[in-house]
Amino acid sequence: MQKRIALWDNLKLFIIALVVIGHLAMQYFYTSEIFGTFIMITYTFTMPAFVFISGLFSKHSINSDKPPVKKAMCFIVLSFFIKVLNYIANIIFGVHVSFEIFYVKDIPWYMLAMGLWYLITWALRKTDEKYILICSVVLGCFAGYMQGNTDFLCILRFITFYPFFYSGYILQRESVENFTAKKSIKIFSAIFLVIYVITFIVHFEDLSVFRPLITARGKYEELGEFYDWGCLIRLAYYVLNMLIITALIALCPRKEFMISKYGSRTLQIYIYHRPIIYIMKNAGLFYLIQQAVGDGWEWIGILLMLVLTALLCPKFWSKPIDYLLNPKEKKEYAAAK
């Protein structure tokens, strides 16, 4: 088994914690300035960073002579598994939600997109890398002008985030690690991230108009007067995110900590956290906290999300996932129970 690298485990654990907090914060974007600012700062880069890292570690499967059909199908199966969990978490509290097979609105989109990214990247693996990257960026810039329901097969997110996946795929992990280890890059990264965070805090009201774009699900028509500039705004989004991703890698600790190993379990955290948040909200927990604490209740919510992330780290959460990903091991799994 290949030895794990602390840098990537630490970074993945940090990003998944932000994702968990973000899925709570997004529900209060328009009613909480704290959560609204948090969303604008973190949602801009969390999924692009995750997608980039996924692409970085996809080479073994994609460069194989055989198409990664099994890998892709595993991701697609997981997307349906998440949809079922989310559906159950809502209907047990009487919250009506639709269950659509091919239209993906919530977190299952990532699993479905991953499966499709693996297949299309395998099919394009012998094509000139620069050509594919440029075409994917151009397509991503203009995808926001699409009409109709772009939740079908998460097509808008699939196109918009693909440049991050492909960038990770064509880059060599060792080159990324060596480049971001340079002292000059670390200094630049620290300065850049400080400016980035301060800018979003100070100009939150002005920048919040671009909220529909940071999830990659919103179309340019939601930008109002900026509709015609949507493609250029998306291009700026790509450049900004690659700078942020570079900065995060540069500043992320490369030392192994006690919690570093949990960075290898981000998949189970990603899968289970959303339905649990639905249960917590539908049960009225966040409402009770708001009533009891008043202003500043968001910090209690953030603490709860960090606790939730920690509770989803133990290995036993991966058992159902392993069962779905390794159908040939059904008998062994059943015997282990």
Side-chain angles (χ1 to χ4, degrees):
M1 181 180 293
Q2 187 177 7
K3 182 180 179 181
R4 299 199 65 86
I5 301 172
L7 165 64
W8 301 108
D9 281 341
N10 291 336
L11 183 56
K12 287 166 63 180
L13 186 60
F14 171 70
I15 295 174
I16 195 63
L18 294 181
V19 169
V20 175
I21 298 171
H23 281 143
L24 168 65
M26 182 60 85
Q27 301 178 65
Y28 300 94
F29 180 87
Y30 294 107
T31 59
S32 167
E33 185 173 347
I34 292 176
F35 276 155
T37 305
F38 180 87
I39 285 297
M40 292 304 300
I41 292 174
T42 63
Y43 245 57
T44 302
F45 67 82
T46 48
M47 290 315 299
F50 245 130
V51 172
F52 174 81
I53 296 173
S54 297
L56 201 62
F57 287 88
S58 68
K59 295 177 180 59
H60 177 72
S61 296
I62 293 176
N63 291 337
S64 171
D65 291 334
K66 296 181 179 180
V69 175
K70 180 180 178 181
K71 190 87 171 180
M73 285 305 301
C74 287
F75 282 121
I76 293 172
V77 168
L78 282 178
S79 73
F80 290 127
F81 178 59
I82 299 173
K83 286 176 76 76
V84 171
L85 291 180
N86 290 347
Y87 183 78
I88 294 174
N90 280 294
I91 63 170
I92 59 176
F93 286 93
V95 178
H96 174 72
V97 289
S98 59
F99 189 91
E100 299 173 315
I101 299 297
F102 299 108
Y103 291 84
V104 187
K105 302 176 182 179
D106 211 330
I107 66 170
W109 78 264
Y110 180 56
M111 295 292 102
L112 179 58
M114 281 286 288
L116 298 176
W117 286 330
Y118 266 80
L119 291 175
I120 194 171
T121 306
W122 180 86
L124 298 172
R125 71 192 186 286
K126 295 183 180 180
T127 308
D128 184 83
E129 295 173 346
K130 293 180 181 178
Y131 175 80
I132 297 300
L133 181 60
I134 292 173
C135 287
S136 67
V137 170
V138 172
L139 187 59
C141 287
F142 285 90
Y145 293 116
M146 294 173 64
Q147 299 297 314
N149 192 336
T150 52
D151 286 331
F152 179 73
L153 295 180
C154 61
I155 185 65
L156 185 54
R157 281 168 162 163
F158 169 81
I159 294 174
T160 303
F161 283 123
Y162 184 65
F164 297 112
F165 183 87
Y166 194 75
S167 296
Y169 165 70
I170 63 177
L171 289 174
Q172 296 301 316
R173 177 178 55 78
E174 294 80 4
S175 299
V176 174
E177 292 171 359
N178 293 335
F179 177 75
T180 54
K182 296 178 180 179
K183 185 176 180 180
S184 58
I185 299 300
K186 290 182 179 294
I187 294 174
F188 167 81
S189 298
I191 296 173
F192 173 76
L193 285 182
V194 169
I195 294 174
Y196 167 76
V197 172
I198 292 176
T199 300
F200 272 81
I201 292 175
V202 174
H203 298 286
F204 166 70
E205 292 293 337
D206 298 323
L207 294 173
S208 62
V209 67
F210 300 117
R211 187 202 69 82
L213 296 190
I214 62 179
T215 63
R217 185 181 170 221
K219 292 181 280 191
Y220 294 155
E221 61 189 28
E222 298 182 46
L223 295 178
E225 61 181 309
F226 294 104
Y227 173 80
D228 293 330
W229 299 92
C231 57
L232 294 180
I233 295 172
R234 181 63 76 192
L235 180 61
Y237 167 87
Y238 283 138
V239 174
L240 174 64
N241 265 293
M242 290 311 298
L243 289 173
I244 295 174
I245 292 170
T246 301
L248 289 174
I249 298 171
L251 297 178
C252 185
R254 303 184 179 219
K255 176 183 177 182
E256 185 174 359
F257 302 99
M258 289 183 62
I259 62 173
S260 296
K261 62 182 180 180
Y262 299 126
S264 65
R265 303 174 189 174
T266 53
L267 179 59
Q268 63 193 58
I269 298 172
Y270 185 82
I271 288 175
Y272 293 115
H273 81 275
R274 191 60 160 139
I276 294 177
I277 292 177
Y278 278 138
I279 291 173
M280 295 169 75
K281 183 181 180 184
N282 293 336
L285 177 60
F286 301 124
Y287 175 77
L288 292 176
I289 295 175
Q290 284 180 274
Q291 297 302 307
V293 178
D295 293 340
W297 76 273
E298 295 92 341
W299 300 109
I300 304 296
I302 291 174
L303 179 61
L304 282 175
M305 294 302 99
L306 291 176
V307 172
L308 174 59
T309 302
L311 291 176
L312 291 176
C313 285
K315 208 166 185 178
F316 68 81
W317 288 101
S318 69
K319 293 296 184 180
I321 301 173
D322 294 339
Y323 183 74
L324 290 173
L325 296 184
N326 300 286
K328 291 183 179 180
E329 299 178 6
K330 288 181 179 179
K331 293 182 179 179
E332 290 81 354
Y333 178 80
K337 292 178 66 177

